[in-house]
Amino acid sequence: MISSAVAGAVLAGSALLAGAAPASAGCGYYVTDTVHLRSGPGTGYASYGLLRKDDQVAVLGKKGQWKKVTPMNDPQSGLSIDAKGWVRGDYLRKATCTQLD
């Protein structure tokens, strides 16, 4: 028998995981190298900071070779999970989804 405290902790953890990424993001993308998260689609735009290799992001939009992204989890660089910015698409690789039954 599971105590109500344990059951509550499990449900709370599930809620946190469910809220970690936009529902439409799917598995997202991984950053392939350290790259600037820019305020616009080009190197002439200001940098908000760095995304590190293997940070996971959701793609929100696209303009040419650039993709507007937001982190799906806490980035290694310390950028806010609410950050939104632009990364050149060739620094991203699609994540592989795994379904657990």
Side-chain angles (χ1 to χ4, degrees), residues 58-71:
V59 173
L60 305 173
K62 180 180 174 184
K63 186 169 186 179
Q65 296 179 339
W66 291 79
K67 297 192 188 241
K68 187 171 186 178
V69 301
T70 187

Side-chain angles (χ1 to χ4, degrees), residues 51-66:
L51 289 168
R52 304 280 183 210
K53 182 179 179 180
D54 295 327
D55 280 344
Q56 192 172 6
V57 297
V59 173
L60 305 173
K62 180 180 174 184
K63 186 169 186 179
Q65 296 179 339
W66 291 79

Side-chain angles (χ1 to χ4, degrees), residues 16-55:
L16 288 174
L17 290 174
S24 61
C27 297
Y29 290 77
Y30 286 102
V31 178
T32 61
D33 201 354
T34 299
V35 63
H36 288 275
L37 181 67
R38 298 198 175 270
S39 61
T43 57
Y45 290 90
S47 173
Y48 292 135
L50 297 172
L51 289 168
R52 304 280 183 210
K53 182 179 179 180
D54 295 327
D55 280 344

Side-chain angles (χ1 to χ4, degrees), residues 10-26 71-73 81:
V10 169
L11 290 174
S14 297
L16 288 174
L17 290 174
S24 61
M72 291 180 72
N73 51 25
I81 194 165

